[in-house]
Amino acid sequence: MVELSVVVPVFNEQEVISSFYTRIRKVLDEFPSQSELIFVDDGSGDSTVEILDSIAKEDIRVRVVKLSRNFGHQAAVQAGIDQSVGSAVVTIDCDLQDPPEVIALLVEKWRMGADVVHAVREQRAGETKFKRLSASLFYRMMKKISDSPVVLDSGDFRLMSRRTIVAIQSLPERQRYIRGLVTWVGFQQDLVYFHRD
């Protein structure tokens, strides 16, 4: 039985995918239970798919889902979630701004009873003042206009329990905003804070 699925949407990531895999592999090696790593290629035009296929040949935990064209980040995340079988699912981008090592903290909170664990950025290294300000304004605006709680300074890096995944999959939305849906479905939610690279 797979305890942990990690879903990674990718698009033209040939420059970073090997470094990401090296780091995430070390994280998954620390789990005594079975895990899977699902890369979802969102129509890359570079050598991302070839690199992923090579990785998958060497590591039985790795699966590569290839979308027929670029559908966008949220569609790629949903495709990976739909392919996952783990009791818990982590979604993370492969650009290494979100450190894979934080996954251990997300899993710890899940094992303590949380259904959703949001990774929240305490610092955003290397980003301009404008980027930090615009991101801050976006999250605060969304919080004001949304009927659902909005977790400030969190992105798509999170852990969701299987029952959370089932609830999200049952929703009729076709253009999904997973950050919103994951809080809207409820269940016990928790936070882990980290410094973003």
Side-chain angles (χ1 to χ4, degrees), residues 127-140:
E127 292 184 354
T128 65
K129 253 186 187 177
F130 176 76
K131 170 66 175 159
R132 289 191 305 271
L133 178 63
S134 63
S136 175
L137 289 173
F138 170 79
Y139 284 110
R140 278 143 187 87

Side-chain angles (χ1 to χ4, degrees), residues 5-185:
S5 299
V6 178
V7 171
V8 187
V10 295
F11 178 68
N12 292 338
E13 302 287 358
Q14 68 182 15
E15 302 297 326
V16 72
I17 199 78
S18 295
S19 298
F20 174 83
Y21 172 69
T22 298
R23 285 178 63 181
I24 195 91
R25 185 185 68 222
K26 289 177 184 173
V27 171
L28 296 180
D29 286 347
E30 294 298 315
F31 287 93
S33 57
Q34 192 174 357
S35 58
E36 66 176 351
L37 181 56
I38 304 169
F39 288 99
V40 182
D41 179 65
D42 192 18
S44 294
D46 63 2
S47 61
T48 296
V49 173
E50 290 80 9
I51 296 167
L52 291 175
D53 285 342
S54 175
I55 290 170
K57 285 179 185 170
E58 300 296 319
D59 189 339
I60 61 169
R61 297 174 295 190
V62 176
R63 286 193 288 146
V64 182
V65 175
K66 301 168 189 169
L67 302 184
S68 61
R69 65 169 176 84
N70 181 261
F71 286 91
H73 186 268
Q74 294 295 287
V77 170
Q78 187 65 55
I81 288 171
D82 290 345
Q83 293 291 314
S84 70
V85 296
S87 300
V89 178
V90 169
T91 56
I92 183 172
D93 293 338
C94 75
D95 59 11
L96 292 174
Q97 289 184 353
D98 299 331
E101 296 77 14
V102 173
I103 290 173
L105 300 175
L106 302 177
V107 170
E108 185 179 324
K109 293 269 190 175
W110 168 64
R111 288 182 176 154
M112 292 169 57
D115 283 291
V116 177
V117 186
H118 303 272
V120 178
R121 306 172 196 110
E122 283 188 303
Q123 290 183 347
R124 301 168 74 104
E127 292 184 354
T128 65
K129 253 186 187 177
F130 176 76
K131 170 66 175 159
R132 289 191 305 271
L133 178 63
S134 63
S136 175
L137 289 173
F138 170 79
Y139 284 110
R140 278 143 187 87
M141 182 184 72
M142 288 298 290
K143 187 173 185 173
K144 279 192 181 281
I145 65 172
S146 177
D147 293 335
S148 301
V150 174
V151 180
L152 298 178
D153 299 316
S154 74
D156 290 300
F157 185 21
R158 77 176 48 81
L159 178 145
M160 296 165 281
S161 68
R162 179 52 53 187
R163 76 177 182 159
T164 303
I165 296 296
V166 169
I168 289 171
Q169 288 172 323
S170 73
L171 299 173
E173 281 79 8
R174 297 182 78 58
Q175 298 294 325
R176 293 179 170 231
Y177 180 61
I178 296 170
R179 291 179 203 178
L181 294 177
V182 78
T183 56
W184 185 84
V185 296

